Amino acid sequence: MKIYKFGGASINSVERIKNTGNIISHAKDEKLLVVISAMGKTTNALEKVAELYYAGKKEEALDVFSQLKESHLNTLKYLTVTQWQAAEAQLKEFFTEIEWLLHDKPVRNYDYYYDQIVCCGELLSTAIIAHYLQEQKLKVKWLDARDIIRTDDNFRDAAIDWEFTGKQMEEKVAPLYKDYDVIITQGFIGSTDENESVTLGREGSDYTAAIFANLMNGDSVTIWKDVDAVMSADPKKYPDASIIASLSFTEVIEMAYYGAQVIHPKTIKPLQNKNIPLYVKSFLDPSLPGTVISKETNKNLPPIIVNKEKQVIIQFKTKDFSFMEDRPIHQLHELFKDVKIKPNLSQNTAISLLCCFDDHAEKIDKLAAVASEIFDVTVEKGLILLTIRHYNEETLEKLSKNKLVVLEQKTTETTQMVVR
Ligand code: ASP
Ligand code: MG
């Protein structure tokens, strides 16, 4: 069995859904499990619905939701004829569930409602696509991932119950292949043992694909994207970025850790643990080879550049000349935990610590305010953090040209610099 994953961009129009359908039907002799995200920017719109609802702005929430309803029904109209009625009925069930919820006053915490509302994006997109493919006479089964993926109740970042989920797959998913060739299910969502919907964190659909692959012993996972392959840098910023034909699991997990937006960081472990290769391919041109990610090490990697903008550097300096190494550094790490912020890079001198953070304005302000009770604090915003794996001098020189390097750290494999 193979696992395919399609993201929001691959299904953001009628044309693109047809294209996705083509890719799925070309896998004819394979048993497929297809994991799909919400269409286009649906998740962002649903986040808006959740925020408005929780802020007590019920009418506005219903308004934003009704726009989503309309656009999904519209898409469906262009894709189905014989399946239209059944599909419309299914969509309307999902709509009603959300609208009922929106009519009540919130009594639980925000994250709970977020998940009950936001999970609907994937349910709608998969329902549309499954009916479209049924209309194309494929033997397709739509599957509610919430009946299979069991999690804890840490809403918005739920953790998988691997044992229970594995059993569900064995008992409920595997037997479906007797009658069907393709199973269509949702990325990003699951449910608790009390049947409450949960989400696995933004961009979590890649992770869902890896969970299915791991627990169903898939032969491979293919993530279909709007890029030709994994690139050595963002081609919009670095015109000489090159395609990378193969990468090891280790390399990808490091890249993701440093902020490369190739693949959701949690995706690699379930695949590496079962040695399941991951292909990144272009849905715009499936004939291109793409990138394969596996246990094989690629010894000819070019320098790989990860670019993180909107960075802040904070310097914390002890007021009384205490050494950083002693108590102060622990105090600071406690503060980071309280504010829920993690430095991307840090470096200390005798009496100061320099840290580079993502610029979450509220958190940064709070951190600076609290820390200034104990330290002299200076904040500099608007910086860029560059991480270069497999660097060479030429690349470093090119990247730092006309820029001021504020902070730099090197290991044999990786250079990181914060530049102004
Ligand atoms: N639809 C979700 C999101 O936009 C999950 C995903 O696309 O992977 O974050
Ligand atoms: Mg997505």
Side-chain angles (χ1 to χ4, degrees):
M1 190 208 37
K2 287 187 177 170
I3 290 90
Y4 279 5
K5 182 263 172 175
F6 291 94
S10 65
I11 51 164
N12 66 3
S13 66
V14 170
E15 279 319 303
R16 289 232 169 142
I17 292 177
K18 287 183 178 167
N19 177 62
T20 291
N22 265 335
I23 293 173
I24 293 171
S25 52
H26 269 91
K28 257 194 191 101
D29 307 324
E30 286 283 346
K31 297 289 183 191
L32 274 193
L33 189 129
V34 184
V35 172
I36 305 181
S37 304
M39 284 167 58
K41 300 272 175 254
T42 303
T43 303
N44 292 356
L46 286 166
E47 282 187 340
K48 192 84 215 157
V49 174
E51 278 164 29
L52 288 167
Y53 163 71
Y54 208 70
K57 299 177 182 165
K58 181 173 109 182
E59 293 310 320
E60 285 172 61
L62 284 163
D63 226 41
V64 178
F65 190 63
S66 81
Q67 289 165 29
L68 279 174
K69 280 167 59 178
E70 208 176 303
S71 69
H72 282 84
L73 286 172
N74 231 338
T75 304
L76 180 68
K77 239 189 319 197
Y78 284 104
L79 288 165
T80 52
V81 180
T82 55
Q83 288 290 323
W84 180 75
Q85 215 171 5
E88 195 205 26
Q90 194 183 7
L91 297 196
K92 285 192 165 161
E93 272 178 42
F94 297 135
F95 296 155
T96 308
E97 245 174 81
I98 302 292
E99 281 166 343
W100 274 19
L101 182 149
L102 295 180
H103 276 100
D104 281 336
K105 277 219 166 63
V107 288
R108 297 181 58 170
N109 70 14
Y110 175 69
D111 290 351
Y112 165 80
Y113 290 106
Y114 176 103
D115 280 1
Q116 310 318 302
I117 294 168
V118 167
C119 73
C120 146
E122 271 64 15
L123 294 166
L124 297 173
S125 65
T126 53
I128 292 175
I129 293 164
H131 283 286
Y132 168 66
L133 291 175
Q134 279 157 5
E135 188 144 324
Q136 311 300 308
K137 301 280 180 279
L138 260 67
K139 289 193 197 159
V140 171
K141 173 81 182 160
W142 180 87
L143 181 72
D144 191 331
R146 297 172 302 176
D147 293 337
I148 310 298
I149 307 251
R150 167 66 63 83
T151 69
D152 65 7
D153 61 0
N154 186 20
F155 295 104
R156 293 185 71 179
D157 188 23
I160 306 298
D161 176 342
W162 288 87
E163 205 183 306
F164 189 91
T165 304
K167 242 172 79 207
Q168 295 294 90
M169 290 197 188
E170 198 182 307
E171 287 168 10
K172 292 188 180 165
V173 186
L176 293 174
Y177 287 107
K178 273 192 265 150
D179 298 315
Y180 299 96
D181 297 327
V182 181
I183 294 172
I184 303 267
T185 197
Q186 307 79 37
F188 179 55
I189 69 174
S191 80
T192 68
D193 58 1
E194 291 181 38
N195 279 325
E196 300 153 315
S197 302
V198 299
T199 66
L200 309 176
R202 285 303 305 262
E203 304 299 329
S205 294
D206 293 351
Y207 184 40
T208 303
I211 296 166
F212 273 101
N214 177 295
L215 292 173
M216 296 197 65
N217 295 309
D219 298 319
S220 65
V221 173
T222 306
I223 296 186
W224 296 91
K225 290 175 80 85
D226 56 358
V227 292
D228 294 351
V230 178
M231 309 280 292
S232 63
D234 179 352
K236 282 180 219 131
K237 294 203 176 79
Y238 304 95
D240 30 341
S242 57
I243 281 175
I244 306 178
S246 75
L247 284 164
S248 67
F249 289 127
T250 315
E251 185 62 34
V252 174
I253 217 164
E254 293 290 339
M255 286 166 69
Y257 172 79
Y258 290 119
Q261 273 158 351
V262 234
I263 282 144
H264 190 285
K266 282 185 184 167
T267 312
I268 298 302
K269 183 171 184 261
L271 300 179
Q272 186 278 340
N273 287 179
K274 288 254 175 105
N275 198 12
I276 300 167
L278 169 62
Y279 298 93
V280 176
K281 282 182 65 88
S282 163
F283 63 74
L284 298 168
D285 186 355
S287 70
L288 294 175
T291 298
V292 54
I293 297 161
S294 69
K295 70 171 202 287
E296 309 304 332
T297 327
N298 179 347
K299 296 211 174 70
N300 296 312
L301 287 176
I304 296 175
I305 304 166
V306 182
N307 194 314
K308 269 192 139 203
E309 299 191 354
K310 292 197 189 142
Q311 299 293 300
V312 185
I313 280 199
I314 307 190
Q315 185 186 49
F316 307 93
K317 204 167 152 197
T318 58
K319 287 184 176 168
D320 60 356
F321 268 53
S322 311
F323 280 118
M324 207 65 213
E325 292 288 333
D326 303 331
R327 234 171 77 79
I329 204 151
H330 297 293
Q331 282 175 307
L332 278 172
H333 281 115
E334 283 305 313
L335 272 181
F336 298 166
K337 246 198 249 156
D338 291 346
V339 182
K340 293 204 171 110
I341 197 165
K342 269 194 203 137
N344 295 324
L345 189 67
S346 65
Q347 199 165 330
N348 65 307
T349 71
I351 57 164
S352 76
L353 180 72
L354 271 177
C355 292
C356 174
F357 300 97
D358 293 337
D359 190 0
H360 299 294
E362 277 159 61
K363 291 184 181 181
I364 295 292
D365 291 350
K366 188 168 162 196
L367 177 63
V370 182
S372 60
E373 287 167 20
I374 328 173
F375 301 92
D376 286 328
V377 177
T378 49
V379 180
E380 181 177 355
K381 296 200 172 204
L383 302 168
I384 300 173
L385 170 60
L386 295 170
T387 303
I388 307 101
R389 303 261 307 152
H390 319 287
Y391 60 91
N392 53 36
E393 282 315 313
E394 191 194 329
T395 314
L396 296 187
E397 224 166 85
K398 225 167 154 182
L399 286 173
S400 54
K401 204 170 157 199
N402 301 328
K403 295 199 181 79
L404 198 76
V405 179
V406 186
L407 181 64
E408 182 170 42
Q409 248 168 44
K410 269 188 192 176
T411 66
T412 48
E413 273 190 322
T414 310
T415 290
Q416 291 196 282
M417 48 193 189
V418 182
V419 298
R420 182 190 293 153

Short mmCIF file of all heavy atoms in Angstrom, two decimals, residues 5-9 36-44 47 114 118 121-122 187-189 201-208 264, ligand 1:
data_model
loop_
_atom_site.label_atom_id
_atom_site.label_comp_id
_atom_site.label_asym_id
_atom_site.label_seq_id
_atom_site.Cartn_x
_atom_site.Cartn_y
_atom_site.Cartn_z
N LYS A 5 -0.16 12.20 0.04
CA LYS A 5 -0.68 13.34 0.80
C LYS A 5 -0.78 14.56 -0.11
O LYS A 5 0.18 14.90 -0.81
CB LYS A 5 0.21 13.64 2.01
CG LYS A 5 -0.30 14.78 2.88
CD LYS A 5 0.37 16.08 2.55
CE LYS A 5 -0.23 17.27 3.26
NZ LYS A 5 0.52 18.50 2.99
N PHE A 6 -1.94 15.18 -0.12
CA PHE A 6 -2.15 16.41 -0.90
C PHE A 6 -2.46 17.56 0.05
O PHE A 6 -3.33 17.44 0.91
CB PHE A 6 -3.33 16.24 -1.87
CG PHE A 6 -3.03 15.27 -2.98
CD1 PHE A 6 -3.39 13.93 -2.85
CD2 PHE A 6 -2.40 15.69 -4.14
CE1 PHE A 6 -3.12 13.02 -3.87
CE2 PHE A 6 -2.12 14.79 -5.16
CZ PHE A 6 -2.49 13.45 -5.02
N GLY A 7 -1.76 18.67 -0.12
CA GLY A 7 -1.98 19.84 0.72
C GLY A 7 -3.02 20.77 0.13
O GLY A 7 -3.55 20.54 -0.96
N GLY A 8 -3.31 21.85 0.86
CA GLY A 8 -4.35 22.79 0.47
C GLY A 8 -4.17 23.37 -0.93
O GLY A 8 -5.14 23.59 -1.65
N ALA A 9 -2.92 23.62 -1.34
CA ALA A 9 -2.67 24.24 -2.64
C ALA A 9 -3.00 23.31 -3.80
O ALA A 9 -3.30 23.76 -4.90
CB ALA A 9 -1.21 24.69 -2.73
N ILE A 36 -5.64 14.13 2.83
CA ILE A 36 -5.84 15.43 2.18
C ILE A 36 -6.09 16.53 3.23
O ILE A 36 -6.72 16.30 4.25
CB ILE A 36 -7.03 15.36 1.19
CG1 ILE A 36 -6.80 14.21 0.18
CG2 ILE A 36 -7.23 16.67 0.46
CD1 ILE A 36 -7.89 14.06 -0.87
N SER A 37 -5.56 17.72 2.93
CA SER A 37 -5.76 18.89 3.80
C SER A 37 -7.04 19.62 3.41
O SER A 37 -7.72 19.24 2.47
CB SER A 37 -4.63 19.90 3.63
OG SER A 37 -3.39 19.34 3.87
N ALA A 38 -7.28 20.71 4.10
CA ALA A 38 -8.41 21.58 3.75
C ALA A 38 -8.05 22.36 2.49
O ALA A 38 -6.89 22.59 2.20
CB ALA A 38 -8.68 22.53 4.91
N MET A 39 -9.08 22.78 1.75
CA MET A 39 -8.86 23.49 0.49
C MET A 39 -8.26 24.88 0.72
O MET A 39 -8.75 25.64 1.55
CB MET A 39 -10.19 23.68 -0.24
CG MET A 39 -10.69 22.43 -0.93
SD MET A 39 -12.41 22.61 -1.45
CE MET A 39 -12.29 24.04 -2.50
N GLY A 40 -7.23 25.19 -0.05
CA GLY A 40 -6.65 26.54 -0.04
C GLY A 40 -6.44 27.09 1.35
O GLY A 40 -5.76 26.49 2.17
N LYS A 41 -7.06 28.25 1.59
CA LYS A 41 -6.87 28.94 2.88
C LYS A 41 -8.02 28.68 3.86
O LYS A 41 -8.29 29.49 4.75
CB LYS A 41 -6.73 30.45 2.64
CG LYS A 41 -5.57 30.83 1.76
CD LYS A 41 -4.29 31.02 2.59
CE LYS A 41 -3.08 31.29 1.74
NZ LYS A 41 -2.16 30.14 1.64
N THR A 42 -8.72 27.56 3.67
CA THR A 42 -9.88 27.27 4.52
C THR A 42 -9.54 27.26 6.01
O THR A 42 -10.29 27.79 6.84
CB THR A 42 -10.49 25.91 4.12
OG1 THR A 42 -10.83 25.96 2.74
CG2 THR A 42 -11.73 25.60 4.94
N THR A 43 -8.40 26.66 6.35
CA THR A 43 -8.06 26.57 7.78
C THR A 43 -7.92 27.95 8.41
O THR A 43 -8.39 28.19 9.52
CB THR A 43 -6.78 25.74 7.98
OG1 THR A 43 -7.00 24.46 7.38
CG2 THR A 43 -6.45 25.55 9.45
N ASN A 44 -7.30 28.88 7.67
CA ASN A 44 -7.18 30.24 8.20
C ASN A 44 -8.55 30.87 8.42
O ASN A 44 -8.79 31.54 9.42
CB ASN A 44 -6.38 31.13 7.23
CG ASN A 44 -4.93 30.72 7.14
OD1 ASN A 44 -4.49 29.81 7.86
ND2 ASN A 44 -4.17 31.35 6.28
N GLU A 47 -10.13 29.43 11.45
CA GLU A 47 -9.53 30.00 12.66
C GLU A 47 -10.22 31.31 13.00
O GLU A 47 -10.48 31.62 14.15
CB GLU A 47 -8.02 30.27 12.45
CG GLU A 47 -7.17 29.01 12.55
CD GLU A 47 -5.68 29.29 12.50
OE1 GLU A 47 -5.28 30.38 12.01
OE2 GLU A 47 -4.90 28.42 12.95
N TYR A 114 -11.70 25.72 19.13
CA TYR A 114 -10.87 25.81 17.92
C TYR A 114 -10.90 24.48 17.18
O TYR A 114 -11.18 24.42 15.98
CB TYR A 114 -9.44 26.19 18.33
CG TYR A 114 -8.43 26.24 17.21
CD1 TYR A 114 -8.02 27.46 16.67
CD2 TYR A 114 -7.88 25.06 16.69
CE1 TYR A 114 -7.08 27.50 15.64
CE2 TYR A 114 -6.95 25.11 15.66
CZ TYR A 114 -6.56 26.33 15.14
OH TYR A 114 -5.63 26.36 14.12
N VAL A 118 -12.31 24.01 13.53
CA VAL A 118 -11.31 23.98 12.48
C VAL A 118 -11.24 22.61 11.77
O VAL A 118 -10.92 22.53 10.58
CB VAL A 118 -9.93 24.42 13.05
CG1 VAL A 118 -8.80 24.10 12.09
CG2 VAL A 118 -9.95 25.92 13.34
N GLY A 121 -12.67 21.81 7.98
CA GLY A 121 -12.05 22.07 6.67
C GLY A 121 -11.66 20.80 5.94
O GLY A 121 -11.93 20.62 4.74
N GLU A 122 -11.04 19.89 6.65
CA GLU A 122 -10.58 18.63 6.07
C GLU A 122 -11.76 17.70 5.78
O GLU A 122 -11.75 16.95 4.80
CB GLU A 122 -9.63 17.94 7.04
CG GLU A 122 -8.15 18.28 6.93
CD GLU A 122 -7.74 19.71 7.23
OE1 GLU A 122 -8.55 20.46 7.82
OE2 GLU A 122 -6.61 20.08 6.87
N GLY A 187 -6.15 14.78 6.71
CA GLY A 187 -4.97 15.04 7.50
C GLY A 187 -5.35 15.87 8.71
O GLY A 187 -6.49 16.36 8.81
N PHE A 188 -4.43 16.00 9.69
CA PHE A 188 -4.52 17.06 10.68
C PHE A 188 -5.51 16.82 11.82
O PHE A 188 -5.47 17.49 12.83
CB PHE A 188 -4.84 18.35 9.93
CG PHE A 188 -5.02 19.63 10.67
CD1 PHE A 188 -4.04 20.12 11.52
CD2 PHE A 188 -6.18 20.40 10.48
CE1 PHE A 188 -4.20 21.34 12.17
CE2 PHE A 188 -6.35 21.62 11.12
CZ PHE A 188 -5.36 22.10 11.97
N ILE A 189 -6.44 15.84 11.68
CA ILE A 189 -7.47 15.71 12.71
C ILE A 189 -7.51 14.30 13.31
O ILE A 189 -7.04 13.34 12.72
CB ILE A 189 -8.88 16.11 12.20
CG1 ILE A 189 -9.42 15.10 11.19
CG2 ILE A 189 -8.85 17.49 11.58
CD1 ILE A 189 -10.87 15.38 10.78
N GLY A 201 -1.93 20.25 15.25
CA GLY A 201 -1.00 21.37 15.04
C GLY A 201 -1.02 21.77 13.58
O GLY A 201 -1.13 20.90 12.70
N ARG A 202 -0.88 23.08 13.31
CA ARG A 202 -0.93 23.58 11.94
C ARG A 202 0.03 22.83 11.03
O ARG A 202 1.10 22.43 11.44
CB ARG A 202 -0.60 25.09 11.90
CG ARG A 202 -1.71 26.02 12.39
CD ARG A 202 -3.04 25.88 11.66
NE ARG A 202 -3.00 26.04 10.22
CZ ARG A 202 -3.30 27.16 9.58
NH1 ARG A 202 -3.65 28.24 10.24
NH2 ARG A 202 -3.27 27.20 8.26
N GLU A 203 -0.38 22.64 9.83
CA GLU A 203 0.39 21.91 8.81
C GLU A 203 0.56 20.43 9.17
O GLU A 203 1.47 19.76 8.71
CB GLU A 203 1.78 22.55 8.60
CG GLU A 203 1.74 24.02 8.22
CD GLU A 203 1.01 24.28 6.91
OE1 GLU A 203 1.03 23.42 6.03
OE2 GLU A 203 0.39 25.35 6.80
N GLY A 204 -0.35 19.93 10.02
CA GLY A 204 -0.18 18.58 10.54
C GLY A 204 -0.54 17.44 9.59
O GLY A 204 -0.41 16.26 9.97
N SER A 205 -0.97 17.75 8.38
CA SER A 205 -1.39 16.66 7.48
C SER A 205 -0.25 15.75 7.06
O SER A 205 -0.44 14.55 6.86
CB SER A 205 -2.06 17.22 6.23
OG SER A 205 -3.26 17.85 6.59
N ASP A 206 0.94 16.30 6.93
CA ASP A 206 2.10 15.46 6.61
C ASP A 206 2.27 14.40 7.70
O ASP A 206 2.55 13.23 7.42
CB ASP A 206 3.41 16.29 6.59
CG ASP A 206 3.47 17.29 5.46
OD1 ASP A 206 2.60 17.26 4.58
OD2 ASP A 206 4.41 18.11 5.48
N TYR A 207 2.09 14.86 8.91
CA TYR A 207 2.25 13.96 10.06
C TYR A 207 1.22 12.83 10.00
O TYR A 207 1.54 11.67 10.22
CB TYR A 207 2.12 14.79 11.34
CG TYR A 207 2.33 14.05 12.64
CD1 TYR A 207 3.34 13.10 12.77
CD2 TYR A 207 1.54 14.33 13.76
CE1 TYR A 207 3.55 12.43 13.99
CE2 TYR A 207 1.75 13.68 14.96
CZ TYR A 207 2.74 12.74 15.07
OH TYR A 207 2.94 12.08 16.27
N THR A 208 -0.04 13.18 9.67
CA THR A 208 -1.07 12.15 9.54
C THR A 208 -0.64 11.07 8.53
O THR A 208 -0.81 9.87 8.78
CB THR A 208 -2.41 12.76 9.06
OG1 THR A 208 -2.80 13.77 9.98
CG2 THR A 208 -3.49 11.70 8.96
N HIS A 264 6.51 18.89 7.69
CA HIS A 264 6.23 19.06 9.10
C HIS A 264 7.25 18.26 9.92
O HIS A 264 7.48 17.09 9.66
CB HIS A 264 4.81 18.58 9.38
CG HIS A 264 4.33 18.93 10.75
ND1 HIS A 264 4.77 18.28 11.87
CD2 HIS A 264 3.47 19.88 11.18
CE1 HIS A 264 4.19 18.81 12.94
NE2 HIS A 264 3.39 19.79 12.55
N1 ASP B 1 -5.22 22.39 6.97
C1 ASP B 1 -4.24 22.40 8.03
C2 ASP B 1 -3.42 23.67 7.99
O1 ASP B 1 -3.60 24.46 7.09
C3 ASP B 1 -3.36 21.19 8.01
C4 ASP B 1 -2.44 21.07 6.81
O2 ASP B 1 -2.64 21.73 5.80
O3 ASP B 1 -1.51 20.28 6.89
O4 ASP B 1 -2.63 23.88 8.87
#
